[in-house]
Amino acid sequence: MTAANLQAGNPQLIATDEERTLFTIPGGVHPPENKQQSLNSPIVAAPLPGKVILPLSQHIGAPSLPIVRVGDHVLTGQLIAEGDGYVSLPVHASVSGTIVAIEEHPLPHASGLSDLCIIIESDGKDASIPMQERPDYRNQSAKSLLDIIREAGIAGMGGAGFPAAVKLNPRAGCSIEHLIINGTECEPYITADDILMQERAQDIVAGVELLSKILGEPKDVVIGIEDNKPEAIATMRETVKNTPIQVAVFPTKYPSGGEKQLIQILTGKEVPSGELPSSIGVVVQNVATAYACYRAVRYGEPFISRITTVVGEALAEQRNVEVRLGTPLSDLLTFNRVNEKKLSRLIMGGPMMGFALHSAEVPVVKTTNCLIAPTKKEMPPSPPALACIRCGLCAEACPASLLPQQLYWYARSEDHEKLESHHLFDCIECGACSFVCPSNIPLVQYYRSAKGKIKQQEIEKEKADRSRQRFEFRQERIARAEAEKEAKRKARQQAALEAKQKLAEAKAAAEQHSEATQQANSDDAITNALAKTQTKTTDPKEQQAKLERAVQSAEGRLQKASARLVESQQHTPDKNDKFAAQVKQAEVRLTDAKKKLNDFLTSTNFSTNTSGTSSTQTQEAQNEADKDKERLRLEKAINSAMNSIEKTQARLAEADDEKREKFEKQLNAAQERLQKAETKLAEFMNQLETTAAQEKLQTLQPATVDAQPEPDTPMDAASAAIARAQAKASARASMSEEEKLKEQIDGLTKRLSKAEEKLAAAIEEGSDKQEALSLGVEKLKIKLQQAQQQLEDA
Amino acid sequence: MALIKQSSPHTRGQTDTTKIMQTVILATIPGILTLTYFFGIGTFINLILASAFCLIIEASVLKVRRRPVGFFLKDYSALVTAVLLGVALPPYCPWWIIFIGSLFAIGIAKQLYGGLGYNPFNPAMVGYVVLLISFPVEMTRWPAPTSILTDSQSLPGLTDALSLVFGFASPVLLDGYTGATPLDAFKQNTGLMADNLYASQAIFREAHFAGAGWEWVNVAFLLGGLFLLYRKVFTWHAPIAMLASLGFCALIFYDGGSNTSGASPLLHWFSGATMLGAFFIITDPVSSAVSNKGRLIYGGCIGIIIYVIRQWGNYPDAVAFAVLLMNFAAPFIDYYTLPRTYGHTQSRRATDKIDTSQRR
Ligand code: SF4
Ligand code: SF4
C-alpha cells in the first residue's frame, strides 16, 4: 500500500471478505494493542456499590429532569429522572436505596467538571421494580419499540453517548440502506465489546435483528469486527448463521472503529462533511448498544449496568467488569485491587481518545467503556515537545486526510480562517497524528482548544448580532409607540377643544332661555329624557361591543406576550425541549390570566350595564353636564395610565433581555423568570384595566359628541327641561361618581392588601419576585391615592 | 494519589525527532565512506570541522536568543546540516570556507529565521550556494578519484591534508590531486563525439556506467536513501519525482552520443550531488512541500531545474540552486495541493474561503 494512494483519500478495495467488498481508509496507526491482559477472565460482576452517583447528563442532549426528592426510597430500575425532550434520556436507579442528595458532583470529564447528580445510598437489598417482559416484542410497532428503548435510557455505548432511539429514528427522507454494528473496538486496551461478543453473542444478534426491524429492515446489516478478535469473530459468525446479518472482518488499524471510518471501510462511502451518517443511508450502532436495546425490549431491563474494561498495570486484576452505573471508580479500582502507589494516572476510555481523570471519586456512566490505571512505566508522561520538523508523518497518519502540521501551525498563530479552510472541524480528534509525531507535539490538544475558541467566538458573535437586532427593534417600537401616542393626544386635545367650545355655546343658549321655560313640566323633561334614553338603548350594547373588542385586543396582547416568551426560549435551541414544557405551563397560566381578564371585563360590563339601565337617565344627564370635567379627568387618568403602560412595557423589554441572558446560562432561572412573567402579567392586567377605562372614555366621547347637537336645537320647552334635568342629574351624577370612586377605592384597597400579602410571602421566601411585587404594590398605592384624591375633590 | 493530567493520546509511537535525525546521519555513512575511499581523508576533515562549527554557531545563537541550548542541540538537526555541508564541500578546502558555510547555514538560514521548523530554505544548501558564488575557485577544486590518479598524482596524506586545510600548503601540491568531475568534463566538452569524449577522459574511461568514483559515491548515497525510505523517515514522493524528471529530461535530449547530445540519464543520475540531493537534501521536510502531491511537484520541478542548469547553465552541477529555487516555491505549491479531506467532494485550495455554516 503506497502512501500516495492513501493520501488521495480514495477508498480502495482491500479485501473481499466472503460476500463483502471491503475498503481501506487513509492513514491510521498501529499502537500496541494491549488487549490480552483483560481477556484472561470472563466478565465478572462488580459487587453492589454502597452508593451510586448518577449524573443527569450522561448522554448528548438535554440533561434529565429529576422526579425524586431527597429522602425518597427507590428500587433498582426505578425511574428517577425523566428525559427532557427528544434528544435526552431518562435515568434509572441502579441500586435500591435512599436518595441522599441531588447535588453537584464531579463528573468523569477531562476538565473535572461538576454537574447535578442524584446520589443513592444503597440499602444492600437490590430490590428491583418488576420488569416487563415482552416475549412477543416482534409484533410491536417500530415506534413503540423506539419508545421502549428511549425509556430504558439507552445511550450509544461506544463513544459520545448519543441517545440510541434518536439515532434509530432518522429524519424523514433518509432511507436507510446500511445498518452497521460496530464491533471494531480499535482502541488499545479496551475489550468490553470483544468479551461481550464472545459471551453474549445470542443477545447481540437478537439486538441487531431488533434494530434492523426498527429501521425497516435495511438491505445491508453488517457487524464489523477487526481481525484481532478471532474468538469474537468465530462466535459471531456462528451466531449469525441463518440470519441476513453479515459479519465483516478487516485488518486491525486504528481508528477503524471511528464511525466515519467504519462506514468508509464497509461501504466505501464517506459521510459528507457536516452531515449525519443517515444522510447517506447509514446507521451505526455499537454492539453493546444493540445488546442493551435487546435486553430493554425483551426483558424490560432499563440501562442500569454496563460492561467496562478495567485494566492497567497498577491493578492486580485486569478484567472486564459488569458494573452498575454510578459506581464510584474508586470502588472499581479497589475491587480490582489497585496499588495506589503505582498508579500514575487514571484514564477513562482508551489510551488514544480517552481523557485523564482528576480523581477516582467520579462515577461510571453510560459511556464508560474502559478505565485504565497504568503505572508510570506503562504510560510515561510525554516528553517535552520539540519543534515541528514538518516531517509529514502526521499527515500520513491522519484518517481524515487533513494536514495536521498545517493545522498546528495555524492553531498556534490563532489563524482561525486558515484553520477552517484546512477543515479543522473535520478532525475527529483520533490522536493518530499526535501518536506518530516525532517531536511529541500534543497536536490534538491544540485542535481541541482551537475548536473551542472558534465556537466561542461564533457564539459571541451570534449573541452580539442578536442583541443588536433586539436593540434596533426596541428602538423602532418605542419610536412607533411615541408617534401613536402623540397623534392620539393631539386628536384628543382637538376634540376637547371643540367640545368645550360647543358646550360653552350651548350653556350660553340654555341660560338665555331658562327663564322663559321655567314652568315647563319637569315630568315632561324626565319623560323626554327617558325617551331619549330609550332611543339610545343601543348604546350599552355598543359599549359592550367595544369592551369585547377590548377583550380581544387584550387577548392579542397576551398572545404576543406568550409569543415573546416562546421566542426568548428559541434563542437557546438546544434547550428548546426543556422550555417547551415550561412554555406550556406558561400558556396554561396565560389562559388563566385571560379568564381572569374576562371575568374582570364581564364585571365591568355588568356594572356598566347596571348603571346603564338603572341610571341611564342620570348617566345621560351626567354625560351632558359633566362631560367636560369628566373627560378631562379621565384624560388625565388615561395619560398617566398610558405612561405607566409605556414604562411597564419598557421594563418588560428590559427584563426580557436579562431573561434571555439567564436562559442561556441556566435552566433553573427559567422557572424564576416564569414567575416574574406572571407578576408582570398581573401588572399587565392592571394596564388592561386602564385600557378599559380608556375604552370607557372613548364611549363617553362619542356620547359627548352626540350630546352636542342638542343644545344647538331651537330653544324650546324640551331643551329647557333638558337643562333642568342636567342640573338635577349633575347632582345625582356627582353622587354616583362618588359611589363609583368609592367602589374603585374599595377594589383597590382589596387588591393592595392582596398584593401586600403576596409581597410579604415573597420576602419571606426570599424569592426573586420581590422586586416586581413591591413595584406592583407601590403602583396600587399610587392609584389608590389618586382615587381618594378624586373622591375628595368630588 | 497524584494523577497525571494529560490530554489524549496517552500513548505514543516510537519515532522521535532526535531518532530521525540520527537515522539520517547514519544513512550518510556509506556515502561518506565511499567519498573517503575515492577522495581521501579530506571528507572526514570537512565533516569534523563542519560539525564543530555548526554546533558552536548553533549554541551561540541559541544563547543569544535565550533558548535552552542543550535542549535544542540534542535534536541533532544542526549535526545533520553539518554532515550535509561537509559532504557537499570539496575535500581539502580551506577551513574558513567551512566556517563561512556553517555560519550561513546555521546562523543565517536556520536560526535567523527562527530555528528548526521555521527555516524556509535548506540551511546546508544556503551555505553551499553562498560559498559557490563567493569562492568559485575553492569550491570547484575537487580531487580526482583515486582510481584515475595519474602516476605523478596522489591524494594528500593527513599532514598534507591538514596543511591544505589550514593554509600552509604550496600550490604545487594542489595540482597533485585535483581533476575535473564527470559533470565538469562533460560541460567543458566542445565538439567531441560522446564516444571520443569518453575515450579521451580518464574519468569516463575508467567508469562502469557514469563517472569514475562518482558513480559509486552516488550508489552509496542511493543505498543510504533507500534505507531511510525503508525506515519511513520520508516518503518516496520527492526523491522519485526528482529522479524521474531528471531522467526524463536527460532522455529527451540524449541522442545516443553526438557532439551536441546531452549526458545520458545514467550519467545524470550517478554524477555530482544527484543522489545526495534526491535523498538527503530535497527530503528535508522543513523546507519542502507538505502534502504528498505537493512533494511530487516539488521533486519533479527540482529535477527539471537541475537538468536545465547542468545542460545550459554556467555551473556543472545544480542541485543546490534547484533546491533553493524550489524552496521559494514550496509555500505556493502547498497552497494548491491540499489533500481532499474526508467528507469533502474535492480538494480545495488553501486560499478558498470556507462556508463555515456547512459544518453545522
Ligand atoms: S508529525 Fe509532528 S513534527 Fe512531523 S510534521 Fe507533524 S507535527 Fe510536525
Ligand atoms: S486527530 Fe484530527 S488531525 Fe490528527 S489524525 Fe486524527 S483526524 Fe487527523
Side-chain angles (χ1 to χ4, degrees):
Chain A
M1 178 58 42
T2 54
N5 294 331
L6 294 179
Q7 202 59 40
N10 295 321
Q12 287 196 340
L13 193 131
I14 48 169
T16 310
D17 171 64
E18 286 172 13
E19 62 257 57
R20 191 175 188 92
T21 313
L22 295 173
F23 302 83
T24 187
I25 52 166
V29 290
H30 297 274
E33 287 174 12
N34 281 309
K35 296 211 183 225
Q36 205 44 53
Q37 55 264 53
S38 54
L39 283 173
N40 293 328
S41 74
I43 301 172
V44 185
L48 209 62
K51 168 181 97 168
V52 289
I53 304 144
L54 294 160
L56 294 176
S57 235
Q58 301 182 41
H59 50 266
I60 287 183
S64 330
L65 301 171
I67 55 164
V68 286
R69 290 217 186 126
V70 174
D72 286 2
H73 185 265
V74 292
L75 297 176
T76 308
Q78 185 179 331
L79 184 71
I80 53 172
E82 284 175 335
D84 182 14
Y86 183 60
V87 186
S88 182
L89 284 176
V91 176
H92 302 83
S94 54
V95 291
S96 62
T98 315
I99 312 268
V100 291
I102 302 178
E103 61 183 18
E104 299 252 316
H105 190 282
L107 297 187
H109 190 277
S111 63
L113 201 79
S114 287
D115 201 1
L116 226 51
C117 297
I118 300 179
I119 300 173
I120 308 175
E121 207 165 81
S122 168
D123 57 10
K125 292 185 196 131
D126 197 21
S128 170
I129 52 158
M131 311 261 182
Q132 190 195 351
E133 299 216 7
R134 298 180 192 85
D136 60 339
Y137 71 91
R138 283 191 181 82
N139 303 330
Q140 302 228 16
S141 71
K143 199 187 160 299
S144 61
L145 291 173
L146 273 178
D147 286 343
I148 295 168
I149 289 170
R150 186 195 313 280
E151 278 151 25
I154 297 172
M157 290 164 79
F162 203 75
V166 177
K167 238 177 160 185
L168 288 169
N169 190 14
R171 263 188 312 215
C174 299
S175 83
I176 299 302
E177 286 170 22
H178 306 273
L179 169 61
I180 294 177
I181 303 299
N182 192 344
T184 318
E185 210 162 47
C186 59
E187 276 249 24
Y189 285 96
I190 312 178
T191 55
D193 290 349
D194 189 355
I195 203 140
L196 187 76
M197 287 190 282
Q198 289 183 33
E199 293 190 16
R200 302 181 188 174
Q202 293 290 347
D203 285 1
I204 294 175
V205 171
V208 178
E209 282 176 322
L210 169 75
L211 301 187
S212 164
K213 177 180 155 56
I214 290 173
L215 289 168
E217 310 286 353
K219 68 173 197 272
D220 175 30
V221 181
V222 55
I223 304 175
I225 312 176
E226 274 187 345
D227 64 2
N228 61 353
K229 304 176 189 63
E231 284 171 41
I233 293 166
T235 324
M236 292 306 286
R237 281 233 161 102
E238 189 56 39
T239 321
V240 296
K241 268 187 189 155
N242 308 321
T243 69
I245 303 169
Q246 281 186 34
V247 172
V249 178
F250 42 87
T252 303
K253 174 162 93 173
Y254 178 84
S256 298
E259 187 172 78
K260 291 175 168 181
Q261 280 63 41
L262 187 60
I263 291 170
Q264 195 174 9
I265 290 171
L266 294 177
T267 67
K269 297 184 194 171
E270 289 180 20
V271 183
S273 177
E275 305 256 356
L276 294 173
S278 58
S279 68
I280 52 165
V282 180
V283 168
V284 182
Q285 287 288 2
N286 181 271
V287 281
T289 317
Y291 171 80
C293 288
Y294 176 70
R295 299 299 299 185
V297 169
R298 172 65 184 79
Y299 301 103
E301 292 175 8
F303 187 12
I304 55 166
S305 73
R306 67 159 296 145
I307 293 164
T308 298
T309 309
V310 187
V311 68
E313 271 160 25
L315 303 171
E317 301 271 6
Q318 305 188 43
R319 55 191 170 185
N320 281 290
V321 176
E322 183 153 27
V323 60
R324 297 293 168 94
L325 299 183
T327 305
L329 297 184
S330 50
D331 282 18
L332 214 50
L333 291 175
T334 316
F335 175 57
N336 289 284
R337 297 194 283 140
V338 70
N339 180 343
E340 297 239 348
K341 278 199 209 97
K342 280 168 119 193
L343 184 67
S344 79
R345 59 177 112 171
L346 205 52
I347 297 161
M348 187 170 279
M352 294 299 285
M353 291 182 79
F355 46 88
L357 295 170
H358 292 229
S359 99
E361 292 312 313
V362 296
V364 169
V365 294
K366 290 177 179 177
T367 53
T368 307
N369 52 2
C370 185
L371 178 66
I372 312 180
T375 58
K376 197 157 185 175
K377 192 161 146 261
E378 194 177 6
M379 286 190 191
S382 82
L386 300 172
C388 167
I389 55 167
R390 310 217 315 162
C391 61
L393 289 176
C394 46
E396 273 168 66
C398 179
S401 299
L402 296 165
L403 289 175
Q405 76 272 46
Q406 297 296 94
L407 290 175
Y408 162 66
W409 219 249
Y410 297 131
R412 281 185 40 157
S413 57
E414 305 215 336
D415 188 342
H416 292 168
E417 218 169 82
K418 274 277 167 33
L419 280 173
E420 296 213 28
S421 76
H422 278 73
H423 301 314
L424 173 67
F425 282 87
D426 288 303
C427 165
I428 58 169
E429 297 179 19
C430 68
C433 50
S434 307
F435 178 80
V436 296
C437 175
S439 290
N440 315 313
I441 302 170
L443 296 165
V444 182
Q445 206 175 325
Y446 279 100
Y447 307 153
R448 268 196 211 116
S449 90
K451 280 183 188 174
K453 271 183 206 152
I454 293 177
K455 279 189 190 143
Q456 191 56 39
Q457 270 185 4
E458 264 164 24
I459 289 169
E460 265 157 30
K461 185 168 168 288
E462 224 166 84
K463 222 154 119 186
D465 283 354
R466 233 169 30 222
S467 56
R468 198 193 54 229
Q469 244 177 26
R470 232 163 28 217
F471 178 75
E472 279 165 6
F473 276 148
R474 213 182 120 215
Q475 292 294 94
E476 216 174 278
R477 196 187 59 222
I478 289 172
R480 219 173 31 232
E482 277 295 326
E484 271 169 28
K485 208 168 79 179
E486 195 54 38
K488 268 188 199 159
R489 196 182 290 142
K490 278 219 176 102
R492 267 197 310 274
Q493 269 173 359
Q494 190 71 24
L497 226 81
E498 277 172 19
K500 227 180 190 171
Q501 265 179 10
K502 280 183 186 165
L503 191 70
E505 280 171 24
K507 261 188 186 158
E511 264 162 33
Q512 266 185 15
H513 295 275
S514 57
E515 280 161 32
T517 52
Q518 235 168 10
Q519 63 266 70
N521 207 329
S522 71
D523 282 350
D524 281 354
I526 290 168
T527 12
N528 263 349
L530 264 172
K532 222 196 295 158
T533 328
Q534 268 152 10
T535 62
K536 281 199 178 177
T537 39
T538 48
D539 267 2
K541 270 184 197 165
E542 236 173 66
Q543 273 181 343
Q544 212 173 325
K546 272 178 189 161
L547 282 167
E548 270 164 16
R549 244 177 283 142
V551 173
Q552 268 167 14
S553 86
E555 273 171 357
R557 274 185 232 190
L558 277 167
Q559 267 163 12
K560 252 187 243 161
S562 76
R564 219 180 297 154
L565 263 167
V566 173
E567 193 203 326
S568 75
Q569 277 144 14
Q570 273 166 353
H571 289 307
T572 48
D574 43 336
K575 285 162 189 170
N576 238 351
D577 294 321
K578 165 145 203 156
F579 295 139
Q582 283 162 349
V583 169
K584 228 168 244 170
Q585 235 176 326
E587 270 168 22
V588 171
R589 280 178 194 165
L590 282 168
T591 347
D592 244 29
K594 268 190 228 169
K595 219 170 83 194
K596 272 189 225 159
L597 178 72
N598 269 334
D599 288 352
F600 169 77
L601 285 172
T602 350
S603 73
T604 337
N605 246 348
F606 178 71
S607 68
T608 6
N609 278 347
T610 44
S611 70
T613 46
S614 68
S615 57
T616 6
Q617 209 186 348
T618 329
Q619 213 176 348
E620 190 70 31
Q622 170 213 338
N623 283 348
E624 280 164 13
D626 267 333
K627 52 202 161 194
D628 199 30
K629 198 174 156 200
E630 171 93 353
R631 196 179 54 233
L632 280 172
R633 188 178 63 77
L634 280 170
E635 246 178 51
K636 219 162 81 187
I638 283 155
N639 273 346
S640 84
M642 279 188 35
N643 276 341
S644 79
I645 289 171
E646 273 317 308
K647 265 189 228 156
T648 331
Q649 271 177 346
R651 250 207 314 273
L652 228 146
E654 273 160 19
D656 267 359
D657 283 358
E658 266 179 49
K659 265 188 245 167
R660 275 168 205 151
E661 300 250 348
K662 274 187 197 162
F663 262 125
E664 278 156 12
K665 280 180 196 155
Q666 276 192 354
L667 303 176
N668 292 349
Q671 278 161 346
E672 284 167 21
R673 265 192 327 258
L674 260 169
Q675 281 166 349
K676 261 195 197 170
E678 259 183 289
T679 7
K680 293 253 165 68
L681 262 166
E683 281 176 39
F684 191 51
M685 277 178 55
N686 287 350
Q687 289 163 16
L688 277 172
E689 222 174 306
T690 341
T691 326
Q694 206 177 332
E695 294 282 358
K696 256 194 254 169
L697 177 68
Q698 272 167 9
T699 57
L700 283 171
Q701 272 173 340
T704 331
V705 179
D706 279 354
Q708 306 297 293
E710 286 162 19
D712 281 349
T713 50
M715 293 139 272
D716 53 12
S719 66
I722 289 164
R724 238 179 307 121
Q726 273 174 352
K728 230 196 256 174
S730 85
R732 269 190 235 167
S734 70
M735 259 305 286
S736 75
E737 186 170 24
E738 243 171 89
E739 272 166 22
K740 257 196 216 160
L741 279 168
K742 268 183 192 155
E743 229 173 72
Q744 201 182 336
I745 287 163
D746 269 4
L748 280 170
T749 13
K750 257 185 226 156
R751 260 167 48 201
L752 181 61
S753 66
K754 248 192 221 165
E756 273 171 343
E757 261 170 46
K758 261 197 210 163
L759 178 61
I763 290 169
E764 232 169 77
E765 286 170 25
S767 99
D768 248 29
K769 292 195 287 185
Q770 269 185 43
E771 223 180 292
L773 281 173
S774 65
L775 238 146
V777 169
E778 210 102 297
K779 253 214 225 144
L780 279 173
K781 273 183 190 160
I782 292 170
K783 260 196 203 163
L784 188 62
Q785 268 175 9
Q786 275 176 355
Q788 277 163 346
Q789 189 79 37
Q790 275 169 21
L791 186 63
E792 272 165 36
D793 286 354
Chain B
M1 163 168 52
L3 297 172
I4 299 176
K5 278 142 225 121
Q6 189 190 311
S7 89
S8 65
H10 303 275
T11 170
R12 44 180 316 278
Q14 290 311 301
T15 50
D16 67 49
T17 299
T18 307
K19 265 190 214 146
I20 288 184
M21 296 293 174
Q22 287 167 341
T23 315
V24 171
I25 293 169
L26 197 72
T28 57
I29 288 178
I32 292 169
L33 290 181
T34 324
L35 277 171
T36 312
Y37 174 78
F38 285 105
F39 303 107
I41 195 77
T43 309
F44 258 99
I45 298 174
N46 278 1
L47 286 174
I48 290 165
L49 285 182
S51 306
F53 289 146
C54 283
L55 290 179
I56 290 168
I57 292 165
E58 172 111 331
S60 13
V61 179
L62 283 172
K63 192 127 205 170
V64 172
R65 293 180 62 208
R66 294 171 208 280
R67 299 294 151 96
V69 175
F71 179 77
F72 281 107
L73 281 188
K74 262 191 275 167
D75 67 18
Y76 278 80
S77 61
L79 209 57
V80 170
T81 303
V83 169
L84 296 179
L85 191 64
V87 298
L89 295 176
Y92 316 109
C93 66
W95 67 269
W96 46 267
I97 289 271
I98 303 175
F99 178 76
I100 293 172
S102 305
L103 189 67
F104 273 90
I106 300 290
I108 310 284
K110 184 177 174 192
Q111 292 294 347
L112 213 62
Y113 281 97
L116 180 62
Y118 297 86
N119 47 309
F121 301 107
N122 185 312
M125 288 304 102
V126 171
Y128 184 84
V129 163
V130 166
L131 292 172
L132 187 59
I133 294 172
S134 317
F135 313 102
V137 178
E138 284 83 355
M139 287 299 288
T140 49
R141 204 157 54 195
W142 270 86
T146 168
S147 57
I148 62 159
L149 286 175
T150 58
D151 294 342
S152 62
Q153 284 182 312
S154 70
L155 288 173
L158 185 59
T159 7
D160 288 344
L162 288 178
S163 61
L164 274 170
V165 170
F166 292 102
F168 357 90
S170 62
V172 185
L173 203 58
L174 275 178
D175 291 339
Y177 68 93
T178 52
T181 65
L183 289 171
D184 280 333
F186 206 90
K187 182 134 213 125
Q188 282 149 16
N189 174 38
T190 45
L192 280 182
M193 297 292 279
D195 282 347
N196 296 343
L197 175 71
Y198 285 173
S200 68
Q201 294 269 359
I203 198 143
F204 294 120
R205 210 171 46 233
E206 299 295 322
H208 296 84
F209 49 91
W214 286 99
E215 55 194 14
W216 298 116
V217 169
N218 274 281
V219 167
F221 280 118
L222 170 63
L223 286 179
L226 292 179
F227 169 71
L228 291 181
L229 260 187
Y230 166 74
R231 295 294 297 270
K232 296 205 169 123
V233 167
F234 45 75
T235 63
W236 57 268
H237 301 82
I240 299 302
M242 170 187 143
L243 294 178
S245 71
L246 179 63
F248 184 71
C249 291
L251 204 62
I252 291 177
F253 295 99
Y254 182 62
D255 59 9
S258 80
N259 56 354
T260 51
S261 165
S264 71
L266 273 180
L267 185 62
H268 274 293
W269 276 338
F270 291 96
S271 294
T274 306
M275 290 300 169
L276 177 71
F279 291 97
F280 293 87
I281 308 288
I282 74 167
T283 50
D284 165 33
V286 179
S287 51
S288 84
V290 289
S291 69
N292 288 336
K293 213 200 301 172
R295 283 174 181 170
L296 281 175
I297 298 172
Y298 176 78
C301 291
I302 287 178
I304 294 169
I305 297 173
I306 290 176
Y307 187 81
V308 169
I309 299 180
R310 277 183 183 178
Q311 182 71 8
W312 297 290
N314 275 329
Y315 292 88
D317 204 352
V319 173
F321 290 112
V323 168
L324 290 188
L325 274 176
M326 287 314 291
N327 285 168
F328 270 115
F332 179 76
I333 296 173
D334 288 343
Y335 259 52
Y336 292 94
T337 52
L338 289 175
R340 185 188 65 86
T341 305
Y342 180 105
H344 292 263
T345 45
Q346 53 186 196
S347 55
R348 167 203 47 80
R349 293 169 189 163
T351 43
D352 287 354
K353 282 274 179 285
I354 192 117
D355 180 9
T356 52
S357 63
Q358 68 186 203
R359 67 158 196 269
R360 258 167 278 121

